[in-house]
Amino acid sequence: MITARFLITRQNFTLDIDLNTPDKGITAIFGPSGCGKTTLLRAIAGLERCPNGFLRIGDNLWQDGKQFVPTHKRALGYVFQEASLFTHLNVRRNLEYGLKRIPKASRKISLDKAISLLDIGPLLERHPSQLSGGERQRVAIARALAVSPRLLLMDEPLSALDVVRKQEIMPYLESLHDELEIPVLYVSHSPDEVARLADHLVLLDAGQVSVVGPIVEMLTRMDLPLAHGNQAETLIQAKVAKHDENFKLTYLDFPGGRFTVAYKALPLGHSARLRIIARDVSLTLTHQTGTSILNIFPTTVDTLTLEGEAQMIVRLTAGGVPLLSRITRKSASLLDLHPGKLVYAQVKSVALLS
């Protein structure tokens, strides 16, 4: 586990953190601006001093009441909002800069591996001024990986990029998840990034941890704000079952049935993440025929929550897997929805995230 306890008080803000999260996968630290996300990351890096703080990364104790491992001795990589490359050095020398303090025996990620993961081989002889924003950030990530960190900290690494550059760099972030075993703490205020990348979610509110858990569960918890509003969504893990070359479709199985999505060249058995926006899920009492909607599943109503005066969020289960639907209050009344009722969910749109 990653265990962190910090109390940092400033004039108009207090960070009071007691955090336990798995030391594997990507943990997103999510919350509104000013809630303490960056301060938490800086405290974990040792850049914010907290005399009575505590930090343990797996078996490595970096801080308690008696000792404090300084930042330069913590086995971590840090990627900031801006790439912060050395402008007088080319890409190769930027990558090599941090290696000086890492003994060869401690290098678990080779420089070649970092270069390959981020696909920056053609950029090695260029200077930062000759790179696009997305290329600079890929170099910054490779530089953080080159020091073979025990923990990778990423502070809104895509926030300075436009939409095109964000889409360019996202596959490289996904590759870190798939190919490396380094735990990542990923600060973001973007629901899209969190949905696509995160395994676990830490919700921060006014300097405190409000809740921690697997993202698939957190998004559908009706006691949390993520399950409400126009952007409420569900993430479902499914496996590629079949490809339809004729109609250019891919079929993915999950415990509640089979999804049909646009063709994606993924191997059979590949685990993929599906994203479903609650407003794209309609409900019906019988299985409809003669419809263009391909993804229709039998479900059971679990919970109903009023959204304002006219809308409702309905939490359903399909084969034990939660699914959210946002419908009008009138529709819920006409369908006589109540917990335990059997209905069919019609999913109008599905996004295949990975």
Side-chain angles (χ1 to χ4, degrees):
M1 298 292 292
I2 297 173
T3 302
R5 293 192 294 272
F6 299 111
L7 178 59
I8 299 173
T9 301
R10 296 176 178 166
Q11 184 175 358
N12 298 314
F13 176 76
T14 297
L15 183 77
D16 189 357
I17 292 294
D18 191 344
L19 173 64
N20 287 279
T21 190
D23 65 339
K24 60 182 179 179
I26 297 177
T27 297
I29 302 173
F30 186 75
S33 296
C35 70
K37 301 186 296 294
T38 295
T39 303
L40 171 58
L41 230 59
R42 287 176 56 82
I44 290 173
L47 298 172
E48 293 279 351
R49 294 300 296 262
C50 179
N52 295 315
F54 180 90
L55 178 62
R56 183 187 294 276
I57 312 296
D59 295 330
N60 300 299
L61 181 63
W62 286 356
Q63 183 177 352
D64 62 10
K66 298 179 180 179
Q67 67 169 315
F68 180 90
V69 177
T71 300
H72 69 278
K73 292 187 177 181
R74 298 187 181 193
L76 59 84
Y78 204 136
V79 181
F80 299 89
Q81 296 179 24
E82 299 288 344
S84 301
L85 302 178
F86 297 113
T87 57
H88 64 291
L89 301 179
N90 64 16
V91 169
R92 184 187 301 277
R93 294 183 65 193
N94 263 281
L95 296 176
E96 293 172 345
Y97 183 84
L99 288 177
K100 300 173 184 178
R101 64 183 179 87
I102 308 297
K104 289 187 177 181
S106 300
R107 297 179 186 177
K108 299 179 181 180
I109 301 175
S110 69
L111 188 57
D112 288 342
K113 175 71 170 178
I115 291 170
S116 174
L117 273 175
L118 279 300
D119 192 23
I120 57 174
L123 310 178
L124 293 178
E125 303 309 319
R126 297 187 193 176
H127 280 73
S129 61
Q130 299 171 301
L131 305 177
S132 70
E135 289 170 340
R136 284 195 295 271
Q137 204 64 335
R138 280 158 54 195
V139 172
I141 295 169
R143 183 176 64 178
L145 292 176
V147 299
S148 298
R150 177 67 181 84
L151 175 66
L152 182 60
L153 306 177
M154 307 188 81
D155 188 1
E156 301 194 57
L158 306 185
S159 64
L161 304 179
D162 59 31
V163 173
V164 174
R165 299 306 178 196
K166 286 182 181 181
Q167 294 305 313
E168 168 195 308
I169 201 171
M170 190 66 77
Y172 298 104
L173 295 180
E174 290 176 328
S175 71
L176 301 183
H177 178 279
D178 295 337
E179 299 193 35
L180 299 180
E181 296 182 356
I182 300 170
V184 179
L185 294 183
Y186 188 98
V187 164
S188 178
H189 64 268
S190 167
D192 290 340
E193 291 176 31
V194 170
R196 188 163 174 177
L197 296 172
D199 300 295
H200 314 283
L201 190 60
V202 176
L203 288 183
L204 285 193
D205 184 26
Q208 294 186 318
V209 174
S210 58
V211 68
V212 181
I215 188 170
V216 173
E217 297 177 9
M218 301 271 280
L219 289 177
T220 58
R221 276 184 50 175
M222 301 303 286
D223 61 331
L224 297 179
L226 296 173
H228 303 278
N230 198 43
Q231 297 302 314
E233 62 185 350
T234 306
L235 296 180
I236 292 178
Q237 290 295 132
K239 288 191 175 182
V240 177
K242 185 180 178 181
H243 296 293
D244 186 334
E245 294 291 343
N246 186 33
F247 289 105
K248 298 301 179 183
L249 298 172
T250 294
Y251 302 108
L252 301 105
D253 288 343
F254 79 113
R258 173 169 288 186
F259 278 101
T260 301
V261 302
Y263 176 79
K264 184 76 171 180
L266 296 172
L268 298 183
H270 178 83
S271 181
R273 178 177 292 187
L274 302 174
R275 183 186 190 188
I276 302 164
I277 306 299
R279 64 176 183 271
D280 289 335
V281 180
S282 63
L283 303 179
T284 179
L285 297 179
T286 59
H287 193 298
Q288 300 297 307
T289 59
T291 174
S292 63
I293 298 176
L294 298 177
N295 296 306
I296 304 176
F297 308 102
T299 65
T300 302
V301 175
D302 178 71
T303 311
L304 299 97
T305 303
L306 187 63
E307 295 269 293
E309 297 181 348
Q311 300 284 318
M312 297 201 76
I313 289 287
V314 184
R315 187 181 191 272
L316 312 152
T317 57
V321 177
L323 178 67
L324 297 182
S325 172
R326 182 180 172 90
I327 61 174
T328 64
R329 185 163 61 93
K330 181 176 181 179
S331 295
S333 177
L334 291 173
L335 294 173
D336 187 28
L337 297 184
H338 54 79
K341 185 159 187 170
L342 300 178
V343 296
Y344 286 88
Q346 301 183 136
V347 182
K348 291 176 282 186
S349 178
V350 182
L352 179 59
L353 298 183
S354 60

